[in-house]
Amino acid sequence: MNGQIKSVSQQRGFAVSRLLTHWEEIAGSDIAAISRPVEVNYGKGALGATLCLLTTGSNAPLLEMQKVKLREKVNATYGYNAISRIRITQTHARGFAEGQVDFVHRKGAAAVKAVDPEIAREVNEHAAQVGDDGLREALAALGQNVLSKHKRK
């Protein structure tokens, strides 16, 4: 499997496939949550490569400010100053088919808090009258959120 990954990553210019497979460890969770390495272009004379990162338009300025630190982290992965520039490519969060941003490094959803059984019983009694299953579940969830919030105050 390593041979196949290495072959595919080298087609995109990634001499070190670890840059792709361990992006969150290299860049850090904050940067990995808003960016993804797309390709590495080597200039004529091989005096340094350009790393292209994909991000959304709203996150581009944040990434732009961190380019120097990020370049240092990436070069530490290579073991020498392989990357001389970082270029940021922006796309819309729901971009075109090929340009859709899919940052799998994001943190998972927060754990769901336990609902008071009394509130759950009351909400389910009111929602039981609704015939559509999806709507009934949505209304029950909404009711639990509203009643739990009022009970906390």
Side-chain angles (χ1 to χ4, degrees):
M1 188 73 145
N2 279 341
Q4 292 174 336
I5 291 173
K6 188 173 182 177
S7 171
V8 171
S9 63
Q10 285 178 347
Q11 289 174 0
R12 287 281 192 154
F14 293 99
V16 177
S17 61
R18 185 170 186 264
L19 193 62
L20 292 173
T21 58
H22 294 84
W23 179 241
E24 185 174 15
E25 293 173 16
I26 295 167
S29 59
D30 293 341
I31 292 175
I34 62 171
S35 67
R36 164 171 287 165
V38 178
E39 66 182 345
V40 175
N41 292 321
Y42 296 93
K44 294 179 182 177
L47 295 175
T50 301
L51 172 63
C52 181
L53 297 177
L54 178 66
T55 189
T56 57
S58 59
N59 288 319
L62 298 172
L63 205 54
E64 185 73 33
M65 290 186 298
Q66 300 178 32
K67 281 177 24 175
V68 173
K69 283 186 177 180
L70 183 58
R71 189 174 67 81
E72 291 172 1
K73 290 178 181 181
V74 170
N75 284 332
T77 301
Y78 277 91
Y80 66 100
N81 285 332
I83 304 296
S84 62
R85 279 188 53 218
I86 295 179
R87 181 173 47 108
I88 299 171
T89 302
Q90 301 173 31
T91 186
H92 189 274
R94 292 187 209 82
F96 301 101
E98 289 298 317
Q100 288 182 354
V101 178
D102 177 19
F103 303 119
V104 294
H105 305 292
R106 292 185 182 169
K107 301 278 186 217
V112 177
K113 294 181 181 178
V115 177
D116 184 3
E118 182 180 321
I119 291 175
R121 182 189 53 75
E122 181 182 349
V123 168
N124 287 333
E125 284 177 9
H126 290 291
Q129 301 169 6
V130 178
D132 183 65
D133 293 337
L135 181 58
R136 181 175 47 250
E137 291 173 10
L139 287 172
L142 176 64
Q144 287 176 1
N145 288 337
V146 170
L147 292 176
S148 295
K149 186 175 183 179
H150 287 295
K151 186 175 182 180
R152 281 184 269 160
K153 290 183 177 182

